[in-house]
Amino acid sequence: MTTPYNHTDYRFWHPMAHPNDWVEREPLRIVKGDGLYIWDDKGRKMLDGFAGLWCVNVGHNRPEVKAAIAKQMDELAYYQLFDGVSHPMAEALSNRLIQMTQQEDMRRVLYGMGGSDGVETALKVARQYWILQGKPQRTRFISLKNAYHGVHMGGTSVSGLPIYRLNYGPMLEGCTQIESPWQYRNPWNCDDPDTLGKRVAEQLEREILYYGPDTVAAFIAEPVQGAGGVIVPPANFWPLVREICDKYGVLLIADEVVTGFGRSGAMFGSRGWGVNQTSWCLPKHSPPDMCRCLLPC
């Protein structure tokens, strides 16, 4: 498809971008996808290394995917899940997800429209949990610098990329970031992975102690940081984080939007590090009465 487009027809804003950046610039218009490749409106063929936005897991234009979508559209295109309403496909997918995560003892699924919804819901569930536990003062969230957790207010507040925060005024109160376990760039100029993993984990512990464990709701992070630079942490980092969160009763949220469903070598990024989370945000070892929660997006 090579149909020309009039620049004046281009009337939407891009997420997390200054609106004036695109007043005089023509966008990259993607008009077709097939397998691993995409085409723009000028006929250029490109490898879709981004997988759409970390979500086209099996490639574009798959006949079996299109057939499944058409079959479901013939039965029921959409129905909401509020206030006790259900439908068979939501129940079937939930059961399948719980079966896939038996070794992590996940027990519930809560659906959203995207990764930002998943993160926002995880933050809300964490705060709700502590209210139900009689500890409403546990509202603080700790995350990593260079983290990206979506476009909603809560996700933006726990993101660690200043460029995505500067234009939106004060963020959600009680959100702080610690250093990222990045061998290429870190304030200690440390290139030994084990030492770096320990230093960042120790910083997490100091942050918890500084604010007081009884004020911290959760630590949230990506098993592999995506938008911040595809930062793979040292192998000891996540086990140390799990140990610290257990020590102080801090919930651990894994933002698996980028790493879930096999993208990092294991079925889930957290599983690859041998760590269970309290909740997963999808595209742990929690207190025993915590209802473990998958948050697909």
Side-chain angles (χ1 to χ4, degrees):
M1 181 176 180
T2 57
T3 303
Y5 292 85
N6 188 325
H7 191 69
T8 60
D9 292 336
Y10 180 52
R11 299 181 183 275
F12 67 87
W13 286 346
H14 298 275
M16 299 298 197
H18 195 289
N20 290 339
D21 285 349
W22 294 91
V23 170
E24 300 297 335
R25 295 168 61 187
E26 185 177 359
L28 174 65
R29 290 190 177 93
I30 305 303
V31 297
K32 176 185 173 182
D34 190 70
L36 301 177
Y37 298 96
I38 52 175
W39 284 258
D40 69 5
D41 60 337
K42 296 178 175 59
R44 294 178 296 190
K45 179 181 178 182
M46 293 164 278
L47 178 68
D48 185 12
F50 229 149
L53 189 63
W54 317 100
C55 59
V56 185
N57 289 8
V58 294
H60 298 274
N61 200 27
R62 291 285 292 266
E64 60 271 46
V65 174
K66 294 190 290 183
I69 292 171
K71 179 182 177 182
Q72 184 58 47
M73 292 289 283
D74 288 339
E75 295 175 5
L76 180 68
Y78 163 80
Y79 211 78
Q80 55 92 11
L81 298 175
F82 277 80
D83 198 25
V85 179
S86 181
H87 55 76
M89 288 298 101
E91 296 174 16
L93 178 58
S94 301
N95 290 334
R96 184 168 184 179
L97 288 169
I98 294 301
Q99 185 179 28
M100 291 175 66
T101 55
Q102 281 183 334
Q103 72 183 69
E104 287 85 11
D105 195 27
M106 293 292 175
R107 301 173 191 171
R108 294 290 186 271
V109 176
L110 202 160
Y111 293 104
M113 295 298 292
S116 299
D117 275 7
V119 169
E120 205 79 3
T121 302
L123 301 179
K124 288 165 65 179
V125 167
R127 284 193 169 182
Q128 182 187 33
Y129 170 74
W130 289 118
I131 290 173
L132 294 174
Q133 292 296 305
K135 298 181 179 180
Q137 75 278 7
R138 298 193 75 153
T139 59
R140 181 170 293 277
F141 296 108
I142 302 172
S143 55
L144 294 174
K145 293 181 180 179
N146 300 302
Y148 178 77
H149 294 295
V151 299
H152 295 343
M153 184 57 76
T156 303
S157 299
V158 296
S159 289
L161 292 163
I163 191 173
Y164 294 140
R165 299 158 57 100
L166 295 177
N167 292 322
Y168 306 107
M171 294 288 102
L172 186 68
E173 186 177 355
C175 298
T176 56
Q177 286 79 42
I178 61 172
E179 294 296 335
S180 175
W182 194 7
Q183 287 179 253
Y184 181 59
R185 285 197 179 102
N186 62 76
W188 306 283
N189 293 319
C190 177
D191 58 7
D192 179 72
D194 286 344
T195 302
L196 179 61
K198 289 177 183 177
R199 285 183 176 175
V200 178
E202 288 168 355
Q203 189 180 33
L204 171 62
E205 184 170 27
R206 289 195 300 271
E207 192 84 352
I208 293 170
L209 291 173
Y210 177 78
Y211 290 104
D214 286 342
T215 71
V216 180
F219 174 68
I220 178 171
E222 305 151 273
V224 174
Q225 291 182 269
V230 190
I231 300 169
V232 181
N236 65 344
F237 174 69
W238 275 98
L240 288 171
V241 165
R242 176 74 273 177
E243 183 180 318
I244 291 166
C245 288
D246 286 344
K247 182 177 179 180
Y248 298 104
V250 173
L251 304 181
L252 182 53
I253 302 170
D255 183 345
E256 293 263 9
V257 172
V258 171
T259 55
F261 297 108
R263 296 194 197 104
S264 59
M267 180 55 71
F268 303 103
S270 306
R271 187 179 293 178
W273 298 120
V275 172
N276 284 3
Q277 317 296 348
T278 305
S279 61
W280 287 356
C281 308
L282 295 171
K284 82 189 180 175
H285 182 84
S286 61
D289 51 349
M290 173 65 179
C291 178
R292 293 194 172 114
C293 183
L294 287 165
L295 303 165
C297 43

